[in-house]
């Protein structure tokens, strides 16, 4: 399938990188949402790249390193020059637990590069920093990542996590330009759009903004979320009701949800987890339809109505910061 309208690419803060507005979330390649075969993983990444997706995000944590290994194989199989795709991985969160020490994150990048079969990653992010000491992130982890930048193993650095307050906590305590990107998840979608309030601040700091999980990690899909999903029961039930309503009307909740997230151009890329060629086709088609035809405002406002009682409901994540 060759799209007539190309997938939009957007600048990522001050990095000079231009990311496809739909980014490829590779956590499903670590079997996080069900088993994905190696051949499906390779075919999915190939389709994504051929349709204009140039940004691929993973972590050593996803599937206990499996996602990085699968993504590495799939990118190698593309057989294209390294500068044609942008790879982000993370550090500090592992199957064994969290460790944001300078020693661990410095070792981590070498392990990641080996699994990814790459010489460098474009972005290295501290993964879910609310589970560590934010002061350690500022005084120890970020300085270690800056040293990695000097080695060329990492081009840009970032921080990720769920509670939005972590971003200003860190960005207010480091010199401007230190942190290149932030990755927020589950906060810019139909059921929760609280990232919006932080966008002017983030833009003023010049950081690139990545928003992940437009389908709220499966809540906004017909098949529903995985067993481990942390949302409270009333949020799960409301999303399920919204999905059922869409189905009844012959609409696709995932398409509407992705289009909702893609509409805000202050966000550089929307990272969606994909595990099949079909999902890639659907998600790229959703972005192109949004750019050419626009959103289905009527159904969207009906879904927003169903989700209103749970709007901006989230769940706890991380440790109490001292
Ligand atoms: P998501 O909201 O993107 O949902 C993924 C789920 O939706 C998967 O089950 C996938 O198979 C399914 N899906 C995708 N396209 C679909 C379609 N068209 N129709 C029906 N179902 C579809 O959640 P996610 O995968 O958790 O988030 C996306 C990516 O963002 C992750 O893979 C990861 O790379 C990144 N992320 C990072 C963090 C972090 O750093 N803390 C947190 C969450 C996500």
């Amino acid at each position: 399938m060759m799209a007539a309208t190309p997938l939009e690419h957007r600048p990522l803060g001050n990095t000079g990188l231009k990311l496809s507005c739909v980014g490829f979330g590779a956590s499903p390649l670590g079997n996080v949402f069900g088993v994905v075969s190696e051949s499906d993983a390779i075919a999915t990444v190939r389709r994504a790249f051929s349709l204009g997706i140039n940004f691929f995000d993973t972590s050593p944590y996803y599937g206990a390193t499996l996602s990085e290994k699968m993504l590495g194989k799939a990118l190698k199989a593309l057989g294209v020059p390294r500068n044609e795709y942008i790879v982000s991985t993370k550090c500090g969160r592992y199957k064994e637990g969290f460790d944001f020490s300078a020693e661990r994150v410095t070792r981590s990048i070498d392990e990641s590069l080996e699994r990814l079969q790459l010489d460098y990653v474009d972005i290295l992010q501290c993964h879910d920093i609310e589970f560590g000491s934010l002061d350690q992130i500022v005084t120890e982890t970020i300085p270690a990542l800056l040293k990695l930048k000097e080695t060329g193993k990492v081009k840009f650095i970032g921080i990720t996590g769920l509670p939005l307050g972590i971003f200003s906590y860190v960005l207010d305590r480091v010199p401007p330009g230190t942190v290149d990107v932030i990755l927020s998840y589950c906060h810019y979608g139909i059921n929760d759009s609280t990232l919006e309030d932080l966008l002017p601040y983030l833009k003023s700091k010049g950081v690139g903004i990545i928003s992940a999980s437009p389908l709220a990690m499966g809540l906004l899909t017909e098949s529903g979320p995985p067993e481990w999903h942390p949302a409270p029961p009333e949020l799960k039930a409301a999303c399920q009701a919204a999905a059922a309503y869409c189905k009844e009307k012959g609409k696709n909740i995932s398409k509407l949800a992705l289009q909702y997230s893609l509409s805000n151009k202050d966000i550089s890329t929307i990272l969606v987890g994909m595990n099949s060629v079909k999902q890639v086709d659907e998600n790229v088609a959703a972005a192109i339809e949004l750019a050419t035809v626009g959103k289905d405002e009527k159904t969207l406002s009906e879904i927003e109505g169903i989700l209103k009682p749970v709007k901006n409901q989230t769940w706890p994540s991380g440790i109490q910061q001292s």
Side-chain angles (χ1 to χ4, degrees):
M1 188 181 89
M2 202 47 217
T5 305
L7 192 61
E8 182 190 346
H9 285 57
R10 300 177 183 168
L12 180 69
N14 292 333
T15 63
L17 297 174
K18 287 192 100 182
L19 270 49
S20 49
C21 61
V22 176
F24 189 101
S27 69
L29 304 190
N31 295 345
V32 169
F33 293 92
V35 177
V36 182
S37 71
E38 187 173 316
S39 59
D40 281 349
I42 290 174
T44 305
V45 167
R46 181 177 292 280
R47 179 67 126 229
F49 183 77
S50 73
L51 294 183
I53 293 180
N54 71 347
F55 178 48
F56 298 85
D57 176 74
T58 183
S59 162
Y61 177 64
Y62 300 149
T65 72
L66 182 64
S67 169
E68 283 191 332
K69 287 179 199 145
M70 292 290 243
L71 182 63
K73 283 184 186 172
L75 290 173
K76 192 164 191 193
L78 290 177
V80 300
R82 173 65 185 86
N83 63 2
E84 290 188 16
Y85 51 81
I86 295 162
V87 178
S88 145
T89 193
K90 311 195 183 80
C91 61
R93 180 166 201 178
Y94 310 95
K95 183 181 79 161
E96 301 76 31
F98 291 88
D99 186 346
F100 291 102
S101 68
E103 184 277 321
R104 183 67 190 98
V105 299
T106 303
R107 195 155 39 88
S108 191
I109 184 63
D110 290 331
E111 297 165 355
S112 289
L113 290 176
E114 194 177 332
R115 287 189 289 262
L116 286 162
Q117 305 183 52
L118 297 175
D119 298 330
Y120 70 94
V121 291
D122 299 274
I123 308 169
L124 181 66
Q125 305 177 88
C126 306
H127 194 173
D128 291 342
I129 59 172
E130 69 270 28
F131 287 93
S133 149
L134 295 183
D135 291 323
Q136 183 189 29
I137 299 291
V138 170
T139 60
E140 180 176 343
T141 323
I142 289 174
L145 265 49
L146 290 174
K147 283 197 185 138
L148 291 177
K149 245 176 144 173
E150 284 169 21
T151 68
K153 293 175 189 174
V154 169
K155 303 290 180 208
F156 300 102
I157 66 170
I159 49 178
T160 85
L162 185 72
L164 291 166
I166 58 174
F167 298 119
S168 43
Y169 187 96
V170 171
L171 291 170
D172 282 345
R173 286 166 178 77
V174 296
T178 306
V179 171
D180 302 296
V181 306
I182 67 101
L183 185 160
S184 160
Y185 72 101
C186 289
H187 287 314
Y188 201 89
I190 307 180
N191 60 298
D192 181 338
S193 54
T194 44
L195 176 64
E196 186 148 35
D197 296 339
L198 199 64
L199 294 176
Y201 167 85
L202 294 170
K203 280 175 74 182
S204 77
K205 293 278 181 186
V207 296
I209 303 162
I210 299 171
S211 178
S213 312
L215 312 183
M217 305 192 302
L219 286 179
L220 301 174
T221 60
E222 259 175 34
S223 50
E227 201 52 42
W228 51 259
H229 200 292
E234 60 272 28
L235 176 54
K236 284 184 180 164
C239 291
Q240 212 164 20
Y245 177 82
C246 286
K247 194 172 180 191
E248 195 190 297
K249 296 261 166 197
K251 308 279 182 182
N252 181 339
I253 189 148
S254 300
K255 178 172 98 172
L256 291 160
L258 180 57
Q259 290 180 337
Y260 178 99
S261 300
L262 284 167
S263 299
N264 193 322
K265 297 200 177 196
D266 285 339
I267 298 171
S268 300
T269 188
I270 300 295
L271 266 176
V272 52
M274 293 180 258
N275 60 18
S276 67
V277 166
K278 181 172 175 278
Q279 286 181 356
V280 171
D281 285 349
E282 284 179 7
N283 294 336
V284 172
I288 289 168
E289 183 187 284
L290 177 69
T292 51
V293 183
K295 286 195 291 251
D296 176 352
E297 300 284 0
K298 182 171 173 288
T299 313
L300 206 50
S301 71
E302 286 163 357
I303 301 171
E304 286 188 287
I306 296 171
L307 294 175
K308 203 169 173 200
V310 293
K311 179 78 184 184
N312 296 339
Q313 246 193 39
T314 184
W315 48 87
S317 178
I319 54 169
Q320 192 73 42
Q321 299 292 328
S322 54

